[in-house]
Amino acid sequence: MKGKTIMAQFDYDLFIIGAGSGGVRASRVSASYGAKVAVAEERYVGGTCVNVGCIPKKLLVYASHYSEDFIDAAGFGWTVGERSLNWQKLIANKDKEIARLNDIYRKLLSDSGVEVIDERAEVVDPHTVVVGGRKITAKYILVAVGSWPMVPKFPGSEHAITSNEAFYLQSLPRNVIVVGGGYIGVEFAGIFEGLGVHVTQIYRGELFMRGFDDDCRITLAEEMRKRGVDLRFNVDIEKIEQTDGGLRATLTNGDTLHADQILYATGRIPNTASLGLQNIGVQLKYTGAVAVDEYSKTNVDSIYAIGDCTDRMMLTPVAIAEARAVAETLFNNNPIMPAYLNVPTAVFSTPAVGTVGITEAEAREKFKNIDVYKTSFRPLRHTMTGRDEKTMMKLVVDGASNKVLGCHMVGPDAGEIIQGLAVALNCGATKAQFDATIGIHPTAAEEFVTMRTTTAPRG
Ligand SMILES: Cc1cc2nc3c(=O)[nH]c(=O)nc-3n(C[C@H](O)[C@H](O)[C@H](O)COP(=O)(O)OP(=O)(O)OC[C@H]3O[C@@H](n4cnc5c(N)ncnc54)[C@H](O)[C@@H]3O)c2cc1C
């Protein structure tokens, strides 16, 4: 339907609810194919990633790394003078950058001919939404409402904050308890620790970072402990009380901890409550996630859903890939199912984790003969600083086909390194092809093409 709108009986060809990572991309690509598009946004253009997610998080991670850089500089002959952190300045500069990005997103939308409506939208029938008291019709409705942090209810849970508030704290706390063992939890633990805060991280399971390769989980725990993060597993918070000096948390093992802030990073729930979807028969999963097929279509033909609110993989590039696929399918006569194989991901903990493909445990379940190549070493930089830090790298290989099934890393720049390896895995690279690749010397990344000895017997 390139170049013209679909039908005159609707106000729009496509109405999108939510101008986050997914909604913005779907708007722009659909409009580029000639669709008449409007997007409703109730809070902030750019959504979670730009405002309270990936971007501000990474900026704070950068800020947190300076503390150890100042110390490490001594090994290279530098004398670093007195240093202190101005938290208010850091947050103000971060906010300035986010405001700049908000403007860019808005301009991208208006330049594409997309109408932005700064209101909450709700669905009232398969082709109608209500926005700011006004009814608007569309041939297709795309739900891209994202997700929201979830704090479980328990005595004193109202004193807890989430990542949303952590980005806007008035002052830097002296003591923080981070609850939760997922990537957002370890990232904030690293941020606060690097900024000089005493951090205790609590996780109710045996070992945090469930779903990641066990060697990454173990290495990260060791490295975080070396940096001074007080990691406590197999325990949870029972109650939180306000005291004169701050907050007191009582743990399930009877211990008490004092903190200025208690940050819950215990999961995110799809933003689908009171959106009107169930009233018109759109199926939701028990988590509240919108149920969709491989083309992101719900059980109602005119309604599609993408991104975090479908709870497939809560990652910005995945929401963007789903958005593009919907736009291609609906407005370019080019049906696309997004591929979820070998989605690389990085955790911006300190040190960072990067991973693509399957873990050793998954490989052992799915394949008969698995070869594992693993190395752990002190990065070159720390031969001069004396810092006791290890980088871990690991390849999981199918013994029968020689294909590399998974690449895992804990160490500086893990995300930057794993991105390239994701291309190799998507091309079906074998271990022999990794071995035939010349390394870049001296880098940490070269280890991925120089590991020659298996570290575990074939299982
Ligand atoms: C702390 C944190 C760090 C993260 N770090 C990373 C990272 O490093 N890498 C990565 O890939 N991902 C990261 N993510 C995840 C990433 O932010 C999300 O996967 C991504 O933003 C999902 O995009 P989306 O379009 O589905 O939803 P969102 O970006 O959340 O956008 C949804 C939008 O819909 C709006 N909305 C909701 N309901 C309505 C309504 N009824 N009417 C109008 N508007 C509505 C919301 O205000 C929001 O702007 C992080 C998330 C968090 C919280």
Side-chain angles (χ1 to χ4, degrees):
M1 69 138 284
K2 270 181 188 153
K4 59 174 185 292
T5 58
I6 300 174
M7 294 180 116
Q9 81 246 42
F10 297 112
D11 298 323
Y12 294 94
D13 300 318
L14 178 65
F15 193 95
I16 301 176
I17 309 181
S21 306
V24 167
R25 183 57 60 97
S27 310
R28 293 174 58 209
V29 181
S30 302
S32 76
Y33 291 131
K36 187 178 176 197
V37 183
V39 56
E41 174 50 57
E42 68 173 343
R43 195 167 283 110
Y44 28 44
V45 172
T48 303
C49 176
V50 170
N51 294 278
V52 287
C54 333
I55 301 297
K57 182 264 308 275
K58 188 91 188 269
L59 295 177
L60 295 190
V61 169
Y62 284 131
S64 71
H65 284 182
Y66 282 97
S67 55
E68 69 179 41
D69 289 346
F70 292 139
I71 296 168
D72 290 349
F76 291 93
W78 287 95
T79 303
V80 178
E82 205 178 310
R83 61 245 177 213
S84 63
L85 175 77
N86 183 335
W87 168 260
Q88 286 78 13
K89 186 171 180 184
L90 168 61
I91 295 302
N93 286 351
K94 180 264 296 175
D95 290 345
K96 211 159 102 191
E97 173 56 12
I98 300 244
R100 190 184 72 85
L101 292 174
N102 292 144
D103 288 347
I104 288 175
Y105 271 76
R106 225 170 246 288
K107 187 163 176 343
L108 284 173
L109 288 170
S110 64
D111 287 354
S112 313
V114 175
E115 191 181 334
V116 181
I117 305 171
D118 292 295
E119 299 272 4
R120 177 176 170 78
E122 287 177 22
V123 183
V124 288
D125 77 36
H127 293 284
T128 312
V129 294
V130 171
V131 194
R134 196 159 55 104
K135 276 192 175 171
I136 295 178
T137 61
K139 175 158 192 195
Y140 297 108
I141 295 169
L142 177 62
V143 181
V145 292
S147 62
W148 199 251
M150 192 269 307
V151 179
K153 284 268 165 281
F154 62 91
S157 58
E158 68 278 10
H159 299 301
I161 61 165
T162 69
S163 53
N164 283 350
E165 295 76 44
F167 288 117
Y168 295 98
L169 291 175
Q170 299 287 315
S171 58
L172 183 66
R174 284 159 304 160
N175 295 286
V176 167
I177 301 172
V178 175
V179 185
Y183 80 91
I184 295 176
V186 293
E187 288 175 342
F188 271 101
I191 289 169
F192 281 122
E193 188 276 331
L195 296 179
V197 177
H198 181 265
V199 180
T200 307
Q201 185 171 4
I202 286 177
Y203 175 56
R204 64 182 178 187
E206 201 63 39
L207 179 63
F208 61 11
M209 297 285 283
R210 199 157 56 89
F212 286 82
D213 189 271
D214 286 345
D215 281 306
C216 289
R217 300 166 73 193
I218 293 164
T219 308
L220 181 63
E222 283 169 3
E223 293 301 322
M224 286 177 69
R225 283 195 165 120
K226 278 186 209 165
R227 286 181 154 75
V229 177
D230 179 4
L231 292 180
R232 301 193 185 194
F233 299 142
N234 288 318
V235 72
D236 207 348
I237 289 189
E238 213 163 63
K239 65 174 175 184
I240 301 175
E241 293 157 295
Q242 181 84 56
T243 65
D244 290 344
L247 298 170
R248 180 173 53 221
T250 305
L251 310 189
T252 45
N253 62 7
D255 286 356
T256 53
L257 293 171
H258 294 267
D260 299 323
Q261 296 290 352
I262 301 181
L263 191 165
Y264 264 71
T266 42
R268 296 178 62 86
I269 46 169
N271 250 334
T272 51
S274 54
L275 198 59
L277 292 172
Q278 275 165 308
N279 301 341
I280 63 161
V282 173
Q283 271 173 17
L284 302 184
K285 298 185 209 163
Y286 74 97
T287 53
V290 187
V292 289
D293 67 13
E294 299 93 323
Y295 294 96
S296 299
K297 185 155 77 81
T298 70
N299 59 314
V300 173
D301 280 350
S302 56
I303 302 186
Y304 285 67
I306 53 167
D308 279 13
C309 69
T310 60
D311 199 8
R312 287 173 281 186
M313 277 186 179
M314 288 197 184
L315 291 171
T316 284
V318 172
I320 288 174
E322 290 166 354
R324 188 181 146 255
V326 168
E328 289 287 335
T329 304
L330 295 181
F331 301 111
N332 196 31
N333 199 21
N334 177 24
I336 290 185
M337 285 190 260
Y340 296 93
L341 187 68
N342 294 330
V343 172
T345 177
V347 178
F348 298 98
S349 45
T350 307
V353 177
T355 182
V356 60
I358 59 176
T359 65
E360 180 181 343
E362 284 168 325
R364 289 196 185 282
E365 265 174 32
K366 288 187 187 146
F367 296 84
K368 255 189 157 156
N369 298 319
I370 293 299
D371 290 329
V372 175
Y373 299 80
K374 199 173 95 176
T375 179
S376 175
F377 57 94
R378 178 189 267 200
L380 178 62
R381 167 188 159 105
H382 294 310
T383 57
M384 294 278 278
T385 67
R387 184 177 286 280
D388 174 22
E389 180 184 311
K390 287 271 159 54
T391 285
M392 192 285 296
M393 288 176 171
K394 177 170 176 179
L395 289 175
V396 180
V397 178
D398 173 20
S401 66
N402 197 239
K403 273 200 177 150
V404 179
L405 303 171
C407 309
H408 309 282
M409 171 174 177
V410 179
D413 303 319
E416 307 291 340
I417 292 169
I418 291 290
Q419 179 69 84
L421 296 184
V423 178
L425 258 64
N426 269 334
C427 295
T430 60
K431 176 68 169 65
Q433 288 167 322
F434 269 59
D435 292 347
T437 304
I438 305 283
I440 300 174
H441 187 72
T443 63
E446 69 181 316
E447 295 290 325
F448 270 123
V449 294
T450 53
M451 286 187 266
R452 294 287 186 265
T453 327
T454 54
T455 55
R458 280 192 180 177

